[in-house]
Structure formats: C-alpha cells, structure tokens
Amino acid sequence: MGKKMPELGSKKSYISWPVVALMDFVTVIGFDDIVYNFHNQGLGIVFTWILMLFLFVVPYEMMVGHLGSTFDDEGGGITSWVRATGGNLWGYICAWTVWVSSLPYIVDVANSTLISFGWLINGNGSMSDKMSNSMFALLTAVIFTIFIFIQHHLRNSLQILSIIGGGAMFIVSILYVVMMVAYLGQGNMPHTQPFTLKSFIPKFDMHYLSTFGLVIFAMNGSEFAAPYVTEMKNGKRDFPKAMWMLAIMTGFLTVLGSFALGVFFNAHHLPNDLKMNGSYYAFQYMGQEFGMGQFFLYLFALTQALYMMAQLAVLLDAGTRMFLSDTAKEYLPKGLTKLDKRGLPINGYWLTTGICTLIMVLSATLPNMNSIFNQLLNLNGIVSPYTTCFLFSSFILVRLHEDRFQSDFVYIKNKHLAILVGAWCFAITFGAATLGIFPTDETPGTAAWSHVLTLNIIEPLIMIAIGIILPLIARYQRNKELN
C-alpha cells in the first residue's frame, strides 16, 4: 500500500500538525510512563528525565522530523526510511521488527484499558484480587477485537479518540502539577523525606542501568506519526513543527510530573503494585489531601480509559500500516497485504491480535496480575529500544548521502556533528535495550527472577521466528503459482 489512503469524498481532508502532535503524544508519553520510572528510580528519575530530554529526546524527535521531511511522500514511516536507505530486505527486517516490538506494548495498553474500567466500576484496585489470570487474558483479547471493529467501521475514529484522549491526559497531568504547587503553597511538606537536592541524584548501579531501557521506551514512539505525513497539507514544513510540540509536551510532563509524585508519595516506601495502579493512587491521594474524596480518582480513571483507547487505536493502525504499507511484497504472504474497501489492512489487524494473545498467554504463567503486568511492561524496555536503533541508522545513512536525500528541514547543519549525534543515540539505545533483559522487579537468584528472565528471552525469540516464517510462506505461495 505505497499509495495514499483512498479519498472518501470529493474534497481531500488534511490532518493539521497540532493534531499529528496529539496523535503522537498518546503513543509517546503518558502519566503511567512517569509512574513506572518513578517506581524504578525514585526521585532520581527527575535527574534522569532532564538529562535524557537534552541528550536523547530532542535529538531523537528532531531526527524523526528530518526523516519525515525527507521522505514526505512515503506512507510507511520508519520502514520507508530504512527501505530507501538500506534496500528491500532491510526494509522488511525493519518493518517486522518495528511492528512486532510494538505488540508487547499493545498488550500492555489493552491490559491498562481493562484496569481503568476496573477502577471506574469499583473505585479501587480490587479487580486484580478478584480476577483470574485466564479471565484477564480473555478480556484483553476481547478488547483487541472491539478495537478492530471500531477502526473497520467508524470513519475518523482514530483522530477523534486521539484528540480527546491525548488532550485530556495532558490537561489532567497539568492539573496534577498545579495541585502539587497549591499543596506546597499551603505550607505542606512533601511526603518524601529528605526532599533535598541530593535526593534527586540517582544511584548509578546495575539496577539503575537495567531500568534505562524503560526510560527510553517511555520517551520513544514519535515515529508512529510518520505514516500520517502523507495526510498533511504540507508535510515537509509542518511535520517538524509537530515534533517540536511533542518534545515540549514530553519535557513538561516527565520532569514536573515526577517532581509532583515525590511530593504526594514517599519515594522510599512505594506500593508493590505501583506500576499497575500507581497512577490511580496518585490522584486518589491528591483528592484525600485536598478533602475532595474520590473526585480526582474518577476524573483520572475516565481520562485514562479514553487515553488508553486512543493509544490502542493509534498503535493498531499506525503499527500495522508501517509493516504492510510499503514492505516489499515478496516477503509477505498474499493474505496479509489484502486491504478492505476503506484501504485498511484488516488481516494485519487480526495477525496483530493473534500474536498479542500468544504473548499474553505466555506471560499469564506468572503467579498474579501484578507480576504479569510488570513483566509485559518491562518487556517493552527490551524490544522497543532495539527497534529505535533502525531510526538512528537511517538518519546516519541519510546524512552520509546528502546528495541523494534532500530535506526542507535539516537537523544540525554540520554533517559530521549530525552523524556523531546519530551514533550517540544509537549506542545508548542499544546498550539500554540489552541491559533491560535482566529483571528489575524480582530479587536476583529467586525462582521468580529466573521465570521472568526466561520470558524476557523466549518471547522476543518467538517474535523473531514468526518474522522468519512469513517470507518462507510467501516464497511457497510464489513457487506454487509458478508450478
């Protein structure tokens, strides 16, 4: 599908750059991402966010802007960039890796959608105690199916959900920061003590390094907006604007949001299920501090449900488009490249659901919902950063061959400095992904640690195996047609 989406009316409908930024925002950062990393690093995460904002986020998103401007007529995003710079085979390898690496996160988002409804219904996190692992996996699969139906039948559902979900999440995150300022302004003390400058300096040990993959995972994903550059009126000019807006929103939310968590939580004594339920606790505690009962909790739970549904819609659509839009057809079975009457790769959606369900079933062998949630979340800190390495290698190749790849937006005019920055981002991303294989939520030497380590190795290997099988099926189909 190397062409633009079919027009459904007499007049072409374009997506504006602020909408693209909001669509991207729901895939890049959310309040949950702040809570996850606060659980891993405590107050030290504030230092990490500031460091990464300048050393990783801004360079990364400007590289996406540069590549999006260079290949503004391509519909596959990062897969188009790798195919254009490295050839069809590398294009397929990248397309598969990008797509399959998003699947653990899609499972995680579907889980989070389910959890948000649990809080909305019960007003607490009791769902994890009442629900069996098998029911948790079954309901997650049901959510996938519902969203495939929504995208298949409702026009513009993705844009509408993104605007509502992304906008609402950013607003409630600002609200959390504002209420933190009001809380301190009343003369109240932070719950974390001591709350000094020294408290914000992380401890540079193996645990800290093994959690860096999740930090990078929380900040990456901006390339998911790249397939929509072809839907913009002037993608070359406006796509980089969306990336700047995204970088500013990301910086605000991560730094100030983490600081606020240190005010309302005691960073030295955090709940065991903070990764799964921490966002809800954050707003619940805030309501208690201001004598407003469960108001903030229900406000956030509703926002979280909308935000997670928007994320699921964008990830299912953009990720599948990336994989199928311009990957060389010789590597894919015919059924996967089939489009419905709206130009959507419907069979790709179903393959996505099948693999996501398999991942969920494997992780359901862990003892409880909290362990399942944490393992699937940390799996993202392994597979997602590895995938992002393709983006940096493409940027390096584009700058090495500037005579072949022209861009209206140039990130870093000096060619050699640009290549050096690209290589830096590649190195820290690859290193963080590798260290992320080691479990961060279990005690080393225990059976639980070994169980999670095994899943962290087996699940990516299964993804690689399926990626090898698909081209073999495609070759078999071609040979059958010739005979």
Side-chain angles (χ1 to χ4, degrees):
M1 197 178 82
K3 58 181 185 299
K4 294 184 180 181
M5 294 292 289
E7 297 176 20
L8 300 179
S10 57
K11 198 173 182 180
K12 172 68 177 174
S13 176
Y14 294 105
I15 304 176
S16 66
W17 65 265
V19 172
V20 170
L22 280 174
M23 288 171 68
D24 218 6
F25 177 69
V26 300
T27 68
V28 173
I29 199 77
F31 198 81
D32 274 346
D33 291 308
I34 303 168
V35 172
Y36 300 153
N37 287 287
F38 184 77
H39 181 266
N40 284 342
Q41 296 187 17
L43 279 180
I45 191 62
V46 175
F47 173 87
T48 303
W49 288 132
I50 295 171
L51 189 71
M52 292 297 286
L53 186 63
F54 294 102
L55 295 182
F56 182 79
V57 175
V58 171
Y60 163 61
E61 288 172 4
M62 291 308 101
M63 288 180 205
V64 172
H66 184 112
L67 291 167
S69 182
T70 303
F71 304 104
D72 68 309
D73 59 344
E74 298 280 2
I78 188 174
T79 61
S80 299
W81 308 339
V82 171
R83 186 172 58 88
T85 54
N88 279 351
L89 178 58
W90 275 109
Y92 169 76
I93 293 171
C94 172
W96 174 258
T97 308
V98 168
W99 178 64
V100 83
S101 70
S102 72
L103 301 188
Y105 188 53
I106 291 176
V107 176
D108 192 44
V109 170
N111 288 345
S112 296
T113 304
L114 192 59
I115 290 165
S116 68
F117 284 118
W119 277 87
L120 273 173
I121 294 166
N122 301 318
N124 56 49
S126 62
M127 186 181 73
S128 59
D129 299 323
K130 299 174 182 176
M131 188 177 293
S132 66
N133 291 358
S134 56
M135 180 57 69
F136 190 46
L138 176 63
L139 289 177
T140 300
V142 169
I143 288 173
F144 291 137
T145 307
I146 290 171
F147 270 82
I148 290 173
F149 176 83
I150 289 172
Q151 299 199 174
H152 188 50
H153 292 280
L154 297 182
R155 184 185 176 191
N156 296 329
S157 60
L158 188 144
Q159 287 186 51
I160 294 166
L161 271 173
S162 296
I163 293 169
I164 296 173
M169 178 56 72
F170 192 60
I171 289 168
V172 296
S173 299
I174 291 174
L175 173 66
Y176 195 77
V177 172
V178 168
M179 296 304 284
M180 175 269 293
V181 174
Y183 175 78
L184 294 177
Q186 293 175 354
N188 296 304
M189 295 295 292
H191 285 225
T192 300
Q193 293 297 331
F195 200 76
T196 61
L197 186 62
K198 187 179 179 181
S199 305
F200 290 88
I201 305 301
K203 185 180 178 183
F204 298 97
D205 55 11
M206 184 62 188
H207 173 78
Y208 178 77
L209 294 174
S210 68
T211 62
F212 237 80
L214 205 58
V215 173
I216 289 178
F217 164 69
M219 292 179 145
N220 72 7
S222 58
E223 67 274 12
F224 272 95
Y228 306 105
V229 72
T230 59
E231 305 297 309
M232 302 173 78
K233 192 168 186 178
N234 190 335
K236 278 182 176 289
R237 181 195 66 204
D238 290 342
F239 188 72
K241 291 180 185 177
M243 293 300 100
W244 272 115
M245 178 177 168
L246 179 64
I248 292 167
M249 292 171 76
T250 301
F252 175 89
L253 188 58
T254 54
V255 175
L256 294 182
S258 298
F259 185 89
L261 285 174
V263 170
F264 289 115
F265 281 91
N266 181 351
H268 306 300
H269 298 283
L270 295 171
N272 184 52
D273 63 342
L274 191 77
K275 285 183 177 176
M276 184 166 70
N277 292 314
S279 297
Y280 304 96
Y281 292 150
F283 283 85
Q284 189 175 46
Y285 293 171
M286 189 172 74
Q288 292 169 1
E289 293 288 354
F290 284 91
M292 297 182 70
Q294 299 278 69
F295 172 75
F296 287 124
L297 169 64
Y298 282 109
L299 177 67
F300 177 77
L302 179 61
T303 301
Q304 179 81 330
L306 290 169
Y307 178 79
M308 286 300 168
M309 288 189 289
Q311 250 194 336
L312 196 56
V314 172
L315 288 167
L316 278 173
D317 184 66
T320 306
R321 284 197 201 196
M322 279 184 176
F323 179 45
L324 301 175
S325 63
D326 67 346
T327 302
K329 297 295 185 284
E330 62 183 290
Y331 299 106
L332 292 174
K334 280 188 174 180
L336 272 185
T337 60
K338 178 186 175 184
L339 306 178
D340 67 8
K341 61 184 179 181
R342 291 190 56 224
L344 298 175
I346 189 65
N347 289 339
Y349 290 162
W350 288 118
L351 179 63
T352 300
T353 301
I355 298 176
C356 285
T357 303
L358 175 61
I359 293 170
M360 184 69 203
V361 168
L362 287 172
S363 295
T365 58
L366 289 165
N368 54 60
M369 274 177 60
N370 190 49
S371 298
I372 295 169
F373 188 91
N374 289 347
Q375 188 270 328
L376 285 168
L377 174 65
N378 293 328
L379 182 63
N380 291 292
I382 304 167
V383 296
S384 183
Y386 276 134
T387 304
T388 309
C389 290
F390 281 103
L391 187 147
F392 301 128
S393 63
S394 289
F395 177 76
I396 292 168
L397 289 169
V398 162
R399 298 311 297 271
L400 280 170
H401 304 286
E402 289 179 340
D403 54 322
R404 287 164 44 200
F405 304 109
Q406 302 296 318
S407 175
D408 283 4
F409 170 74
V410 178
Y411 174 59
I412 305 179
K413 302 289 184 183
N414 184 289
K415 172 181 175 179
H416 300 291
L417 179 59
I419 292 170
L420 183 64
V421 172
W424 156 258
C425 288
F426 181 97
I428 61 172
T429 303
F430 188 88
T434 304
L435 289 169
I437 293 171
F438 297 98
T440 58
D441 293 305
E442 311 295 344
T443 305
T446 63
W449 191 90
S450 300
H451 190 166
V452 172
L453 179 65
T454 302
L455 289 174
N456 286 351
I457 295 171
I458 289 176
E459 289 174 344
L461 287 176
I462 289 173
M463 298 177 197
I464 292 169
I466 296 172
I468 294 170
I469 290 168
L470 289 181
L472 296 177
I473 294 172
R475 185 193 295 176
Y476 170 78
Q477 289 176 341
R478 285 197 307 275
N479 291 339
K480 193 173 181 182
E481 287 175 357
L482 291 173
N483 295 333

